[in-house]
């Protein structure tokens, strides 16, 4: 099992629309493509608001294939187009990190 940390810069002006899009559409479509969302958070520091979430994957190949299929999903592409037209850009900088447990990390389960 590997974990992926995703951090999105989100904007106060359309934060509610971003959360609605992720909650009502992205998470559902991601599940259809085999994503397992472990947890989600909103964070803020130094005047920047962020949305962070952790994904669990059985292996790197599954992660790569799932992201490729999600990013080309016609429903997701249309939702992004519509929400961008209604609310403008909803995500700024994106950070993507693979997290490898140390040998002394408590076991997740």
């Amino acid at each position: 099992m590997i974990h992926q940390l995703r951090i999105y810069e989100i904007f106060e002006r359309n934060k509610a629309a971003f959360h609605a899009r992720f909650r009502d559409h992205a998470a559902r479509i991601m599940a259809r493509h085999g994503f397992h969302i472990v947890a989600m958070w909103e964070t803020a520091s130094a005047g920047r608001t962020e949305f962070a979430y952790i994904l669990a994957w059985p292996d790197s190949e599954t992660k790569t294939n799932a992201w490729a299929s999600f990013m080309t999903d016609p429903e997701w592409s249309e939702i992004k187009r519509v929400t961008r037209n209604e609310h403008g850009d909803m995500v700024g900088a994106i950070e993507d990190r693979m997290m490898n447990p140390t040998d002394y990390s408590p076991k997740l389960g």
Side-chain angles (χ1 to χ4, degrees):
M1 179 72 56
I2 59 174
H3 289 89
Q4 180 181 19
L5 171 63
R6 303 272 298 179
I7 303 170
Y8 299 166
E9 175 187 22
I10 59 176
F11 309 115
E12 287 297 321
R13 71 179 183 276
N14 56 15
K15 180 172 74 170
F18 168 84
H19 283 296
R21 181 174 79 176
F22 200 95
R23 179 190 63 238
D24 300 340
H25 303 290
R28 173 181 52 79
I29 297 168
M30 287 172 158
R32 188 169 68 217
H33 290 279
F35 286 57
H36 173 70
I37 300 172
V38 175
M40 297 172 263
W41 301 267
E42 183 177 303
T43 68
S45 69
R48 179 174 151 148
T49 303
E50 298 172 329
F51 174 73
Y53 63 107
I54 294 176
L55 299 163
W57 301 103
D59 55 59
S60 185
E61 182 180 3
T62 301
K63 175 190 73 73
T64 299
N65 292 339
W67 272 108
S69 65
F70 172 70
M71 295 307 288
T72 59
D73 184 286
E75 182 184 7
W76 178 236
S77 296
E78 179 63 8
I79 288 166
K80 284 194 327 184
R81 185 190 69 74
V82 168
T83 56
R84 186 178 307 115
N85 286 343
E86 289 177 16
H87 304 285
D89 288 334
M90 298 175 79
V91 175
I94 298 174
E95 296 179 36
D96 185 11
R97 303 175 189 169
M98 295 308 300
M99 299 186 303
N100 300 303
T102 61
D103 60 355
Y104 53 88
S105 175
K107 301 297 179 214
L108 298 173

